[in-house]
Amino acid sequence: MGKFNEALKDFRQVCKIVPKDPDATKKLKECERAVQKIRFEEAIASEHVKSCTVVDFRTIDVEEAYSGARIEGDKITLEFVKTMMEDFKNQKKLHKRYAFQILHEVKELLAPLPTLVNVNVPNDTHITICGDIHGQYFDLMNIFDLNGLPSDENPYLFNGDFVDRGSFSAEVIFTLFAFKCLYNSGMHLSRGNHESKSMNKMYGFHGEVKSKYNESMAEIFSELFCCLPLAHVLNKRIFVVHGGLFSRDGVKLSDIRSIDRFREPPDEGLMCELLWSDPHPGLGRIPSKRGAGVAFGSDVTQKFLEENNLELVVRSHEVKEEGYEEEHGGKLITVFSAPNYCDQMNNKGAFIKFVAPKLKPQFTKFVSVPHPNVRPMAYANNIFSWLS
């Protein structure tokens, strides 16, 4: 959560109770360093007026020696995207000229979208929903092998947490963004709790982008993530969101549409809960184990659906042993698409296909595939690594 000032108080109290505990002492020192680092960054930031980072990709030269994917002219093509994906498999970087071009074009597509996007799935067509990917690029490629590449005829909705933890997050996000540019109606993207500056600095994406590209690009990603929609509704029947539902009854779809999403996620309120909340097996609401959002029961789900004339909630955000789980009497589905999460959980991944008009969920489970020997969190800030 990045609430280091609160954590600092707790660690100091723990060290008073067990002053000789080496682990508690270590965590206290690390937390003190984190607080100092954040205060320093805030002090620097306060001296400057925050403005949109602008990089004109057209002014960036492509060296003759560059042998990777190229965008001929100004149009992103399927041939370019396929070549780029193959380059990524071979651990080649996309030239920064084309990387910045993708970011420029995808922002033009994302920024005008509403906070709650209505997606129409015509009869006898389908859409596939994927959960968290978390930088596991080679598992993303496996999804496309199993289910086909995104296109207007084979649309996908990726439900947040594209990046962090896995150390191929740049490859994941450039692939998803390139397909969004190529097939605007064939690639839908929701914001997750990890599409935020604070999480990216803790869990690796910010450091990865700085390592593979530069600081300017990392800042552009932070701005871009604020353009991502917070939720989708399929055919006015299925509500799709990364986290979950709310700490109060009576929230309508119109309330979600009115959220100003162009910001970093707050610590409370509707936006926070959309990104952070989880279901629990009982009734009512209880405090979230995450320290953000709320844990909500089956009665909360049922009431939200009834009040908004919906049939189903699809969300992600949680590792599931089989890649998905149906909960709350079948009214809520969690889907998670990062198998063997962080190379240690041994879970399966899954995705869900919905075919109109019935829109009954069809589940596909899959296991992890091999990837290059780069450990998860390889680019994470060492100060924060104990949080993983």
Side-chain angles (χ1 to χ4, degrees), residues 57 69 71 74 76 80-81 84 88 94-110 170-171 173-182 213 217 220-221 224:
F57 64 87
I71 298 175
D74 285 334
I76 294 172
F80 162 77
V81 177
M84 179 187 71
F88 287 161
L94 179 65
H95 195 280
K96 63 182 179 180
R97 194 259 191 221
Y98 306 123
F100 280 116
Q101 180 172 347
I102 291 171
L103 299 185
H104 171 79
E105 292 192 19
V106 81
K107 185 174 184 180
E108 296 295 309
L109 295 170
L110 293 175
E171 290 78 4
I173 198 64
F174 277 125
T175 298
L176 297 181
F177 278 177
F179 273 117
K180 179 66 178 173
C181 295
L182 185 60
Y213 296 95
M217 187 176 290
I220 289 175
F221 271 114
L224 255 176

Side-chain angles (χ1 to χ4, degrees), residues 299-325:
D299 55 331
V300 176
T301 298
Q302 183 65 39
K303 190 167 186 178
F304 173 79
L305 293 174
E306 290 175 355
E307 291 179 341
N308 290 282
N309 297 312
L310 298 167
E311 299 174 7
L312 178 68
V313 174
V314 176
R315 43 90 63 181
S316 303
H317 195 40
E318 286 185 286
V319 181
K320 295 297 178 181
E321 185 176 353
E322 294 299 312
Y324 74 94
E325 184 175 357

Side-chain angles (χ1 to χ4, degrees), residues 129-297:
I129 299 179
C130 297
D132 303 40
I133 300 296
H134 274 302
Q136 296 185 195
Y137 177 75
F138 293 85
D139 293 308
L140 174 64
M141 293 297 98
N142 188 39
I143 291 173
F144 292 159
D145 288 341
L146 293 170
N147 196 57
L149 292 175
S151 68
D152 290 334
E153 295 73 36
N154 189 35
Y156 283 79
L157 195 170
F158 282 85
N159 199 27
D161 281 13
F162 322 121
V163 301
D164 280 342
R165 297 191 185 271
S167 293
F168 300 94
S169 291
E171 290 78 4
V172 166
I173 198 64
F174 277 125
T175 298
L176 297 181
F177 278 177
F179 273 117
K180 179 66 178 173
C181 295
L182 185 60
Y183 302 116
N184 186 24
S185 62
M187 176 62 77
H188 304 279
L189 301 167
S190 275
R191 191 175 190 176
N193 62 301
H194 275 267
E195 276 71 58
S196 72
K197 183 180 290 188
S198 60
M199 299 298 282
N200 294 161
K201 286 189 174 182
M202 284 191 284
Y203 292 106
F205 181 61
H206 187 89
E208 180 181 342
V209 174
K210 284 178 61 179
S211 175
K212 294 178 179 179
Y213 296 95
N214 55 40
E215 177 72 33
S216 294
M217 187 176 290
E219 291 301 318
I220 289 175
F221 271 114
S222 295
E223 295 165 9
L224 255 176
F225 288 160
C226 294
C227 297
L228 288 165
L230 300 183
H232 295 73
V233 174
L234 310 183
N235 287 11
K236 300 181 180 180
R237 294 163 58 187
I238 300 174
F239 181 69
V240 186
V241 66
H242 179 72
L245 301 182
F246 310 101
S247 57
R248 61 178 174 88
D249 292 329
V251 176
K252 300 297 181 63
L253 296 183
S254 58
D255 297 317
I256 299 171
R257 291 190 188 98
S258 67
I259 295 172
D260 178 8
R261 73 182 190 273
F262 296 95
R263 55 172 298 180
E264 289 300 310
D267 291 336
E268 58 185 12
L270 297 186
M271 182 174 176
C272 171
E273 290 162 356
L274 287 165
L275 300 178
W276 281 95
S277 291
D278 297 296
H280 75 86
L283 299 175
R285 297 174 174 89
I286 59 176
S288 171
K289 62 185 179 183
R290 299 178 187 269
V294 67
F296 57 95

Side-chain angles (χ1 to χ4, degrees), residues 4-40:
F4 292 102
N5 287 320
E6 296 178 22
L8 187 59
K9 296 176 184 177
D10 292 338
F11 282 132
R12 284 173 175 166
Q13 186 65 26
V14 170
C15 287
K16 288 180 180 178
I17 298 170
V18 284
K20 295 183 179 180
D21 187 302
D23 189 53
T25 302
K26 178 183 177 184
K27 297 293 192 296
L28 173 61
K29 291 180 179 178
E30 289 172 339
C31 193
E32 287 174 338
R33 289 200 299 272
V35 169
Q36 291 172 354
K37 183 176 186 294
I38 290 169
R39 288 174 178 169
F40 176 72

Side-chain angles (χ1 to χ4, degrees), residues 353-373:
K353 181 175 287 187
F354 290 95
V355 180
K358 292 186 177 180
L359 295 181
K360 299 298 182 184
Q362 302 174 15
F363 302 101
T364 298
K365 299 186 290 185
F366 55 95
V367 297
S368 63
V369 297
H371 64 76
N373 188 25

